Amino acid sequence: MYQNSLEDTIAAISTPSGQGGIGIVRVSGKEALSIGDEIFVGVNERKPSEFKTFTLHYGRVINRKGKAEEVVDEVLLTVMRAPKSYTCEDVVEISCHGGTVPLKKILMLTLDHGARLAEPGEFTKRAFLNGRIDLTQAEAVADIISAKTDAFLKLSINQLKGDLTLELESIREYLMDAYTEIEAVVNFPEDDIDASSRKKLSIDIKEALKHVEALLASSEQGRILKEGIKVVICGKVNVGKSSLLNVFLKQPRAIVSHIEGTTRDIIEESAQIQGIPLQLIDTAGILDPRDSIEEEAVKRSHLYIDQAEIILLLFDASQEISQEDINLANRIKDKNVIIVLNKCDCPTKIDEGAFRKLLPNFKMAKISALEKQGINPLEEMIVENALHGKRLETPKILISNLRQIESLKKCLTALEKAQEHFSQNLSLEFISEEIKLAISLLDQITGKDIDNDLIDKIFSSFCVGK
Ligand SMILES: Nc1nc2c(ncn2[C@@H]2O[C@H](COP(=O)(O)OP(=O)(O)OP(=O)(O)O)[C@@H](O)[C@H]2O)c(=O)[nH]1
Ligand SMILES: [Mg+2]
C-alpha cells in the first residue's frame, strides 16, 4: 500500500487558512520538479528542473490551460532535491501571496499537472517511511506545532533532534545484549550460563528497567506541559469569577457586571502560569434558575465542574455565607478544590471559622480580583496543586505522548517479569520471551515495528501540509 502511495507526487497548502503575508504550496515526489517546470516561469525562462538544490528563485506561476496564458501570482520557488529534503524526495515549495485565492489556484495547478492532494501529515509520514526520522521524531513535529509553552517547545525540539530516539536506542542495546546472551545458552544447552554471564544479564535487565522507569516518571509532567491543566472557576453569582478570569488573562475577556447572572455561557481560554499551560474555564454563577437559559447555564457549569482537574471555588468575602454557597461547597467537597475568598478589599463579613468547618481540607487564598491583590500566592497554589508539590522539571527528555507512555508501561511490566523470573531461577526461555516483548514494545515506539493502520492513525491527527 505504501509502495504505491510513495510513488505519487503529493501537494498541499502548508500555511494556515486565512489571509497572511505569505502562503506556501508544497509539492513532494518524483514529479515535483516537472510539475514546477509546467507552472513556473523564472528569470531568463529557466526551469525548476535546472535549478540547484536549496536555491530560491523569483518568478511567476502561469496557468497555460486557457487560450491565453494567465499569470496567477508572483512567487518565490524553492527547490530541495532528493534525498536531502524534508521528505527525502524532490520537493518544490512555492511561496506566493498569502491569500486563499492565489494559494488555491496554485494548488489546483499542481493537481492538474499530476500531483495528488496530500493527506494530513503525509509529508512527515514520507520522512518517516523514507527513513529520515523515526516515529518519535515525527510525533515531535506535531508537538512543536501545537506547543503551548516555551518549556514544551524545547522538549519537542529535543525529541525532534533525536534525544528520545537515542535514549530508547540505549535501552534497546541493553536488552539486545541480554537477549543474545540468553539465546547463545538456549541454543547450546551444553554450555550452561556461567556466573559472569549471569551477572551481566542481571545488570542489563536492571539498567534497562531503570531507564524505562525514569522515562515513565517524567510522563506526568510531560503531559501537563503538553496539554495543560483544566482549571474551572466556579461559585455563586456575582462573586467575581469573570473578574478573576480577566486577571489571569491580563485582558478584559469576559463581561463583568454587578448584575447577577452576567455570565451565561462557558468561557474557555488558555493562559500560562509559571510555564504551566492552563485551560481556564469561567462558568455561569450557580443560582436558582429563573428561566430555561439559566437552567441550561447551571447545567453546563456542573458539567465542567465534573471534568475539572482543579476547581477554584470562589466566595464573596464581603458577604455572609449563603445557603447557595453551602450547597455548592457540599457538592464539590470530594474534588480537587482551592478555596478563593474574593473581594478582600472590602470589609470582611464571611465567618472564616464556620467556613473552615464546611471545607476543612483545602488550601485557601484571599484575593481582590478588582485590585489584583493576592494573585501571586493564588497562582503559586495552583502550580503546587498541579505538580503535586513537586518542582517543574525541565530535563532534556520528557515523555508526553500517550501512545509512547502506554508502550513504555507494557515494556516496564515485561522487564519486571523478566527480573522476577531471573531471581526465581526460572528457565532462561521465560526470561528471553519477556525481553523479546520489551524490545518489540520499544520498536513500536520508534516505529521500527509497527503496523500500517497504526501509522495511518498517528499521521491522520497531523495538519494538512505538514
Ligand atoms: N470590591 C470588589 N468588587 C469585585 C471584586 N471582584 C469582582 N467585583 C465586582 O463584583 C461584581 C461581579 O463581578 P463578576 O466578575 O461579573 O462576577 P461573576 O462571578 O462572574 O458573576 P456572574 O457571571 O454573574 O456569575 C462586579 O461588579 C465586579 O466589579 C473584588 O475583588 N472586589
Ligand atoms: Mg461571570
Side-chain angles (χ1 to χ4, degrees):
M1 172 195 171
Y2 286 117
Q3 227 39 45
N4 284 340
S5 67
L6 278 174
E7 292 297 309
D8 297 346
T9 296
I10 53 172
I13 298 170
S14 283
T15 37
S17 57
Q19 293 182 4
I22 296 169
I24 295 177
V25 174
R26 188 187 247 177
V27 189
S28 175
K30 291 197 170 74
E31 314 274 311
L33 292 166
S34 58
I35 292 172
D37 288 354
E38 295 288 340
I39 66 171
F40 177 81
V41 177
V43 181
N44 303 331
E45 308 283 311
R46 283 182 64 219
K47 294 181 167 185
S49 58
E50 299 163 11
F51 297 154
K52 283 191 184 152
T53 188
F54 294 122
T55 54
L56 182 73
H57 302 267
Y58 166 75
R60 294 189 170 93
V61 168
I62 303 285
N63 181 1
R64 297 191 166 99
K65 264 193 345 198
K67 281 185 205 136
E69 279 189 357
E70 177 203 7
V71 176
V72 178
D73 198 5
E74 274 191 22
V75 303
L76 288 172
L77 179 141
T78 314
V79 167
M80 289 158 278
R81 289 174 182 270
K84 289 198 168 175
S85 72
Y86 187 76
T87 52
C88 299
E89 303 168 337
D90 284 340
V91 172
V92 165
E93 278 182 8
I94 301 167
S95 304
C96 62
H97 292 99
T100 317
V101 178
L103 276 163
K104 280 202 176 147
K105 281 189 98 166
I106 294 172
L107 175 66
M108 288 313 293
L109 275 178
T110 66
L111 302 185
D112 287 348
H113 286 92
R116 148 172 88 69
L117 196 61
E119 293 160 13
E122 198 172 359
F123 294 95
T124 312
K125 182 161 139 188
R126 288 189 170 198
F128 165 66
L129 292 174
N130 289 324
R132 189 177 67 77
I133 54 175
D134 78 353
L135 211 45
T136 69
Q137 291 170 301
E139 286 171 323
V141 171
D143 286 345
I144 290 170
I145 293 171
S146 64
K148 295 189 185 100
T149 59
D150 280 5
F152 189 66
L153 175 63
K154 266 188 207 142
L155 289 168
S156 309
I157 293 279
N158 289 346
Q159 192 167 316
L160 179 63
K161 251 179 27 211
D163 288 356
L164 178 58
T165 313
L166 280 178
E167 176 64 5
L168 295 172
E169 207 44 60
S170 83
I171 300 173
R172 196 177 189 279
E173 263 173 40
Y174 285 119
L175 295 178
M176 279 312 286
D177 281 355
Y179 186 67
T180 2
E181 195 83 44
I182 296 175
E183 287 303 293
V185 178
V186 171
N187 291 332
F188 300 97
E190 61 278 14
D191 308 336
D192 198 14
I193 188 162
D194 59 34
S196 82
S197 300
R198 242 191 113 72
K199 190 161 178 214
K200 175 146 187 339
L201 187 58
S202 149
I203 292 173
D204 284 337
I205 298 175
K206 218 183 258 169
E207 279 300 314
L209 246 175
K210 200 172 81 187
H211 283 253
V212 172
E213 273 169 349
L215 280 179
L216 277 172
S218 74
S219 64
E220 193 185 356
Q221 290 207 358
R223 303 273 309 151
I224 291 175
L225 285 181
K226 181 175 185 173
E227 280 163 17
I229 296 268
K230 206 177 252 188
V231 179
V232 171
I233 308 174
C234 73
K236 209 176 60 173
V237 280
N238 245 351
V239 291
K241 301 177 292 298
S242 302
S243 305
L244 179 59
L245 175 82
N246 292 345
V247 171
F248 283 136
L249 298 178
K250 299 185 174 67
Q251 54 165 308
R253 165 68 180 82
I255 300 172
V256 165
S257 93
H258 65 279
I259 300 165
E260 294 195 345
T262 301
T263 308
R264 287 193 161 199
D265 216 342
I266 302 293
I267 303 178
E268 279 192 63
E269 285 293 336
S270 301
Q272 247 190 74
I273 294 182
Q274 298 179 12
I276 297 182
L278 301 183
Q279 197 185 338
L280 290 169
I281 296 152
D282 177 21
T283 58
I286 305 296
L287 76 175
D288 279 335
R290 291 168 292 198
D291 54 35
S292 58
I293 298 177
E294 283 187 354
E295 204 172 293
E296 182 60 28
V298 172
K299 209 161 103 191
R300 285 187 189 196
S301 296
H302 283 305
L303 201 72
Y304 276 79
I305 288 168
D306 288 340
Q307 294 167 358
E309 285 165 272
I310 299 178
I311 296 173
L312 301 184
L313 178 56
L314 255 69
F315 295 95
D316 180 345
S318 70
Q319 304 240 330
E320 283 172 15
I321 200 156
S322 69
Q323 193 53 46
E324 277 159 338
D325 287 323
I326 295 171
N327 292 347
L328 185 56
N330 279 327
R331 192 176 186 279
I332 64 176
K333 65 180 169 193
D334 58 343
K335 298 191 184 293
N336 186 16
V337 178
I338 296 175
I339 300 162
V340 183
L341 300 189
N342 188 32
K343 308 198 186 181
C344 288
D345 53 294
C346 302
T348 306
K349 283 212 187 133
I350 208 159
D351 176 354
E352 264 192 52
F355 188 73
R356 267 278 158 227
K357 259 193 210 153
L358 185 67
L359 293 163
N361 299 321
F362 301 123
K363 291 228 158 155
M364 183 195 283
K366 295 182 182 178
I367 66 161
S368 163
L370 186 72
E371 303 203 337
K372 300 187 181 62
Q373 276 171 11
I375 304 301
N376 273 347
L378 172 59
E379 290 187 347
E380 299 276 346
M381 272 182 211
I382 294 173
V383 171
E384 198 194 337
N385 186 308
L387 302 179
H388 307 295
K390 293 186 198 141
R391 278 162 43 87
L392 182 64
E393 308 278 350
T394 41
K396 265 172 80 182
I397 309 168
L398 263 185
I399 299 268
S400 64
N401 179 305
L402 259 187
R403 182 188 77 84
Q404 297 167 5
I405 293 171
E406 283 312 307
S407 296
L408 270 178
K409 278 186 182 161
K410 288 184 193 155
C411 180
L412 183 74
T413 311
L415 291 178
E416 282 169 346
K417 275 193 194 158
Q419 202 174 41
E420 205 181 302
H421 295 340
F422 186 79
S423 61
Q424 289 169 349
N425 257 329
L426 290 188
S427 157
L428 288 179
E429 278 165 11
F430 289 120
I431 304 172
S432 157
E433 275 306 302
E434 297 301 339
I435 292 179
K436 209 163 80 181
L437 176 63
I439 293 172
S440 91
L441 286 158
L442 291 179
D443 289 350
Q444 280 177 24
I445 300 178
T446 54
K448 264 194 196 131
D449 174 15
I450 192 165
D451 64 52
N452 291 345
D453 288 349
L454 195 53
I455 294 178
D456 285 345
K457 195 168 154 231
I458 291 167
F459 285 100
S460 66
S461 63
F462 278 53
C463 41
V464 175
K466 188 63 237 173

